[in-house]
Amino acid sequence: MQHRRYRLLWIYAILLMPAVGFEAAKALQGAVNVPLEWASADDPVQKRYHEFVQAFGSGDILLVSWSGCHVDLPELDQVVADLHSNTDFYQSGNWLFDRIESGRQAVQHLTRSGITSEQAVQRLRGILIGPDRQTTCVVIAFTPTGVLERAALLPKIQDVITKRTGVPAEQQHLVGPIMDGLSADLASQATVQSLAPVSTAVVLVLAIVCLRSLRESLLVFAVSVYCQLVTMALVSACGESISALLVVLPPLIQVLSLAGGIHLVNYFRESIRTAEATTAAQRTLQIGWLPCVLSSATTAIGMASLLVSDLEPVRQFGAFSAAGVLLTTAILLVAVPALLARFTSSSRSTSHSPAEPTQTLWSPITQRLATVKLPVIAVSFVTMVAAVFGMQQLNSSVRIETLFASDSPILQDYDWFEQHVGPVVPVEVLLKIDARNQHWQSRWPELVGYFQEQLQQRSEVETTMSALTFLPTSMPNGPATSNPTDMNLQTATTFARQAAMMTVNRHGDVTWRIKAFVKSNIDLNYENLLQDIQTDLQRLLIDGRGHPLPGLTVETTGVMPLVHRIQYLLMDDLKTSFLLAFALILVVMTILQGSIWNGLVVMIPNVFPSALLFGMLGWLEIPVDIGSVMTASVALGIAVDDTLHFITAFQRAIQSGMNRQAAVQSAFEHCGAAMIQTSVICSAGMLVFAFSSFLPTARFAWIMVSLFAAALCGDLILLPSLLMSPIGRLFEIREPVLNTKATSTIESDAANTHDSNAASMVSPGPNASITQGPNFPAATNRSSTNATVGDDILP
């Protein structure tokens, strides 16, 4: 009956493969990263930004320029005309662009209003025209539909420019939010295509080295690939794609499933020494399901804690990674024991598996830790306290230079553009005049000019632009200073509205837009800049008696406040998700340990890695990004895996009558090798992605590797030191076990193991178990079919 159940499961898995493969392939297509949309649609800053876009036009823009793109180049008019008329830029009859303008058109517009070409160029310097008074650019604003089609549209835009000007695509410089998102898309695709196969090959080779069996390694590897595909299919089935921030999800699932598979293989090896393959598979499932489920549960808790994030990509990663881990556990428990039973020959039984004792390396390590346990604990706690102070210095960033390497093409294009045309980061200021305030309604040029002058005086601001820039009146430089009654205000308002520099709502309230530009490649604190600007401008709306001027309001909006908001949410997510994961996992650990104090002690080596690493980031003033934020909670959940196995083995040894030092050595012998092996496999599989050209992916990889290493040190150095110190007395309580028959058998087997260790200090040979679980008694001492699960897992 059991064979038939497994056979049916294999059949179903095989039948599902085409659908799983199809959905997994779909997940790799169509990912669209829009950094400005990372914040939730319900976020107040995101709402204000959307209101701003609805009033003044799309913020998803592309700026294009090249050497020789001058205001007197007639081909620019042809380029703009083609972008308007070419059917490639339409979908279902709808234009995919919101608006298109060039510096040449802006100069022509101003000269037609009666000012000279020199004055027009002077007004547009640093905005649409470079410091040489010649180089200009083309500005293209995309509609929401156009943003989704940007990967196909950009090559066509470059083709139009090449056709009209003869400038090849590789000599064109493209910047702006559209290019930022597309570059992230391309980086994620390059990561999948170039690094994912390498990561897969690395984990396969390491699995073969660790298991020393090609057959078992291939079985576990095949299951891990299937788990990876199922997770990707889940992403696609939910209507999402593997974006640049989800690109590390499939390899993370693979290394975790491979690590879990290695544990089960070692459980199977322990069982098959005294039983035939089918019985050993059943025994493997009996003794392996609980530690695997507990480990996956804590890992899933760490990942699911990211669901509290206000950033959509972080929530997606948390949801899909947690679901993937749980699916992976179910697949592993069903597939690995059955496959091992099916493809393992009966010659692997005890009668054909000689014991191969070798001198253990864990004895001197245990003795050394017993000698230095107190200094180890003291240094660890001092380090953690210092790390806490360092974490208070943490800051976050989502600026363009934190997304791509300094030598990346997009950052080189930004440098070229800001050098030859002008700064590209806008600070948007909106001045609102109430419809009932006729005094300022008629004197808006004076009011807008005054605010523009104040912005221009700031050292961070390179240049400014407002409706005054497009006034049809002769001005030498800067804002208008002539009497507003001398101007044709109706004509001026029309020009300002055409230039998207003012808007009127249905109540008649007028909003005037003032843009200040800052460079993208300077170290600028956006939060301080926005607060200073808001404070300074608010001060201008106070009369001599300290009363606010009626009918006038001013606010900062646009891209920069949204970027600052995302940076704030990153730090908030890091704290909230980690604390939530810690609290939930602590509850689980206290329940498993049956003691709050024991649970807290067990959590110390698990908090140690995250505290150490993020404390160092704070002290070194290295900003965290969206990739870094996801690592702390995920690593906490994964770190508990090794801790669970080690503490379980330790407590089993204590229950058998060992003292704490002997119990630590016993736990080392049963868990140490597997902990090292799985950590190495996980680290090596993730380390490959540290070479990604998309920095959040690269940072996620190297931070995860660092956390794996720190977690291993915590479990192999700090945890044993705690258990052998006076704190470890908390774990010496020997609770009665309900099943007395099973208990006596366990204690007898454990005592025999202890006596053997005390006599010769040997460890299992190459065919023995190196699992992260407890020392499971041989099947000759009791029937594996009659043993209870709790007898083998619960301390």
Side-chain angles (χ1 to χ4, degrees):
M1 179 66 70
Q2 192 76 8
H3 290 298
R4 280 182 290 184
R5 291 196 187 101
Y6 283 129
R7 191 177 298 112
L8 283 173
L9 289 172
W10 294 339
I11 292 173
Y12 291 148
I14 293 172
L15 290 177
L16 285 174
M17 270 303 298
V20 169
F22 176 75
E23 290 295 333
K26 279 178 56 180
L28 295 174
Q29 302 172 359
V32 176
N33 290 283
V34 185
L36 295 181
E37 298 293 332
W38 284 352
S40 170
D42 296 329
D43 186 87
V45 179
Q46 185 74 270
K47 283 184 176 180
R48 287 200 298 271
Y49 176 72
H50 285 163
E51 292 171 356
F52 166 78
V53 168
Q54 291 174 358
F56 294 100
S58 173
D60 294 307
I61 63 172
L62 175 72
L63 298 95
V64 188
S65 186
W66 58 90
S67 297
C69 180
H70 295 159
V71 291
D72 56 359
L73 184 68
E75 287 80 4
L76 275 180
D77 297 333
Q78 297 173 333
V79 169
V80 173
D82 286 352
L83 294 176
H84 274 282
S85 61
N86 196 316
T87 57
D88 289 340
F89 306 115
Y90 287 80
Q91 188 178 89
S92 302
N94 297 317
W95 198 34
L96 296 175
F97 303 137
D98 186 57
R99 67 184 186 277
I100 297 177
E101 59 183 336
S102 69
R104 175 178 171 84
Q105 283 181 313
V107 170
Q108 292 171 347
H109 169 78
L110 288 173
T111 54
R112 283 196 298 268
S113 68
I115 69 174
T116 66
S117 297
E118 290 76 10
Q119 290 173 330
V121 169
Q122 179 61 29
R123 291 194 193 184
L124 298 173
R125 280 190 64 185
I127 303 171
L128 293 174
I129 299 177
D132 61 358
R133 305 176 67 89
Q134 285 289 320
T135 303
T136 185
C137 64
V138 178
V139 181
I140 307 170
F142 285 57
T143 64
T145 304
V147 172
L148 299 177
E149 301 295 329
R150 65 191 177 194
L153 290 176
L154 260 64
K156 295 176 181 178
I157 293 173
Q158 291 181 301
D159 288 342
V160 168
I161 295 174
T162 301
K163 177 182 176 182
R164 291 301 184 182
T165 67
V167 178
E170 56 270 17
Q171 295 181 17
Q172 300 170 23
H173 304 281
L174 289 73
V175 299
I178 287 292
M179 200 61 204
D180 299 347
L182 180 62
S183 297
D185 292 346
L186 297 176
S188 65
Q189 294 173 10
T191 298
V192 171
Q193 294 171 1
S194 61
L195 299 182
V198 177
S199 175
T200 300
V202 167
V203 297
L204 174 58
V205 171
L206 287 176
I208 295 172
V209 171
C210 292
L211 292 177
R212 290 172 291 177
S213 168
L214 180 61
R215 176 186 299 172
E216 292 173 344
S217 299
L218 289 177
L219 289 178
V220 173
F221 177 77
V223 174
S224 72
V225 172
Y226 189 81
C227 294
Q228 186 182 40
L229 293 176
V230 168
T231 303
M232 294 169 64
L234 176 65
V235 173
S236 176
C238 293
E240 301 295 339
S241 301
I242 300 296
S243 64
L245 297 172
L246 283 177
V247 73
V248 293
L249 176 60
L252 181 61
I253 293 296
Q254 183 180 42
V255 296
L256 292 179
S257 60
L258 197 66
I262 289 176
H263 298 331
L264 291 174
V265 166
N266 286 293
Y267 288 141
F268 181 80
R269 285 179 174 180
E270 182 72 17
S271 300
I272 202 175
R273 301 169 93 194
T274 55
E276 52 91 19
T278 302
T279 304
Q282 296 174 358
R283 178 69 174 157
T284 297
L285 185 59
Q286 284 182 327
I287 65 180
W289 77 269
L290 188 57
C292 286
V293 168
L294 290 176
S295 298
S296 66
T298 55
T299 302
I301 287 173
M303 294 172 169
S305 67
L306 297 173
L307 290 172
V308 301
S309 171
D310 289 317
L311 298 177
E312 182 62 26
V314 177
R315 285 201 305 272
Q316 284 186 357
F317 185 90
F320 289 127
S321 59
V325 166
L326 297 178
L327 282 173
T328 292
T329 303
I331 295 172
L332 286 173
L333 291 174
V334 170
V336 172
L339 289 173
L340 290 172
R342 174 66 179 81
F343 293 101
T344 300
S345 62
S346 59
S347 62
R348 291 288 299 272
S349 63
T350 301
S351 59
H352 298 84
S353 300
E356 300 176 9
T358 57
Q359 182 64 34
T360 180
L361 297 177
W362 297 112
S363 177
I365 293 176
T366 305
Q367 294 173 1
R368 183 61 177 169
L369 284 177
T371 304
V372 299
K373 55 183 180 293
L374 295 182
V376 166
I377 295 172
V379 171
S380 299
F381 274 86
V382 170
T383 301
M384 291 179 67
V385 170
V388 169
F389 284 101
M391 292 173 67
Q392 297 176 4
Q393 312 299 321
L394 274 176
N395 60 82
S396 60
S397 177
V398 291
R399 293 169 54 176
I400 185 67
E401 64 268 23
T402 67
L403 301 180
F404 304 97
S406 58
D407 59 348
S408 62
I410 184 171
L411 290 189
Q412 292 178 355
D413 282 342
Y414 268 101
D415 289 341
W416 185 96
F417 201 95
E418 294 194 327
Q419 179 181 353
H420 294 86
V421 180
V424 297
V425 178
V427 179
E428 303 279 359
V429 175
L430 298 184
L431 176 64
K432 297 182 180 180
I433 305 177
D434 191 284
R436 295 166 294 183
N437 193 325
Q438 294 300 317
H439 172 72
W440 288 116
Q441 288 278 19
S442 61
R443 299 185 62 186
W444 67 263
E446 179 181 349
L447 188 62
V448 171
Y450 183 59
F451 274 83
Q452 187 173 352
E453 285 180 348
Q454 297 301 312
L455 281 174
Q456 187 67 64
Q457 291 175 5
R458 298 194 63 88
S459 60
E460 306 94 339
V461 174
E462 296 289 325
T463 186
T464 59
M465 180 176 71
S466 72
L468 302 182
T469 307
F470 301 93
L471 279 179
T473 183
S474 178
M475 295 186 303
N477 291 303
T481 55
S482 57
N483 192 325
T485 59
D486 297 334
M487 304 177 183
N488 185 332
L489 295 180
Q490 183 177 1
T491 303
T493 301
T494 300
F495 286 155
R497 188 175 300 185
Q498 290 175 350
M501 299 307 295
M502 67 86 66
T503 185
V504 182
N505 66 16
R506 58 189 178 89
H507 302 295
D509 302 331
V510 181
T511 301
W512 297 94
R513 177 186 184 187
I514 307 171
K515 297 181 71 172
F517 292 93
V518 298
K519 289 187 175 181
S520 64
N521 57 1
I522 61 174
D523 186 13
L524 187 63
N525 188 311
Y526 288 169
E527 178 181 9
N528 292 341
L529 176 62
L530 291 170
Q531 288 179 349
D532 290 347
I533 290 177
Q534 184 74 31
T535 301
D536 291 346
L537 296 184
Q538 289 284 6
R539 192 179 297 117
L540 300 178
L541 298 181
I542 304 297
D543 62 20
R545 294 172 298 177
H547 299 149
L549 296 175
L552 295 177
T553 58
V554 63
E555 67 173 347
T556 55
T557 185
V559 172
M560 187 174 285
L562 185 56
V563 170
H564 164 60
R565 177 62 175 172
I566 293 173
Q567 292 180 173
Y568 168 80
L569 292 176
L570 284 176
M571 288 304 303
D572 187 61
D573 288 348
L574 178 62
K575 299 173 185 175
T576 304
S577 63
F578 184 79
L579 290 176
L580 178 60
F582 175 82
L584 294 176
I585 294 174
L586 176 61
V587 170
V588 173
M589 298 302 288
T590 55
I591 293 174
L592 291 176
Q593 296 301 314
S595 165
I596 294 178
W597 291 111
N598 288 29
L600 287 170
V601 172
V602 170
M603 287 300 294
I604 292 174
N606 298 305
V607 176
F608 174 77
S610 297
L612 177 64
L613 184 65
F614 285 94
M616 289 179 60
L617 293 178
W619 283 117
L620 297 175
E621 298 183 350
I622 299 176
V624 297
D625 60 15
I626 195 166
S628 310
V629 164
M630 299 186 296
T631 58
S633 301
V634 174
L636 177 61
I638 294 174
V640 177
D641 184 354
D642 285 346
T643 304
L644 275 171
H645 289 288
F646 192 95
I647 200 68
T648 300
F650 172 83
Q651 290 176 313
R652 287 291 301 273
I654 289 292
Q655 290 288 342
S656 72
M658 293 184 186
N659 60 39
R660 284 182 286 125
Q661 182 172 335
V664 165
Q665 182 175 329
S666 177
F668 270 137
E669 292 171 349
H670 295 303
C671 307
M675 291 165 65
I676 294 173
Q677 289 173 350
T678 53
S679 296
V680 168
I681 289 177
C682 291
S683 298
M686 295 305 302
L687 184 61
V688 173
F689 291 89
F691 298 95
S692 173
S693 58
F694 188 55
L695 292 188
T697 299
R699 289 194 186 99
F700 179 91
W702 73 257
I703 289 179
M704 285 299 295
V705 171
S706 301
L707 289 172
F708 282 140
L712 187 63
C713 292
D715 284 328
L716 294 183
I717 299 176
L718 178 56
L719 179 58
S721 298
L722 288 169
L723 294 176
M724 289 187 289
S725 73
I727 298 175
R729 293 171 184 167
L730 293 169
F731 297 87
E732 286 187 330
I733 300 175
R734 294 175 171 84
E735 298 177 353
V737 182
L738 294 179
N739 191 329
T740 56
K741 178 181 178 181
T743 303
S744 61
T745 305
I746 294 173
E747 292 178 350
S748 175
D749 293 337
N752 292 336
T753 303
H754 175 50
D755 293 340
S756 176
N757 288 338
S760 59
M761 304 301 286
V762 297
S763 65
N767 293 326
S769 169
I770 52 173
T771 69
Q772 291 187 2
N775 183 25
F776 300 111
T780 51
N781 292 330
R782 58 175 174 168
S783 172
S784 60
T785 57
N786 294 327
T788 62
V789 175
D791 295 337
D792 295 295
I793 301 302
L794 298 178

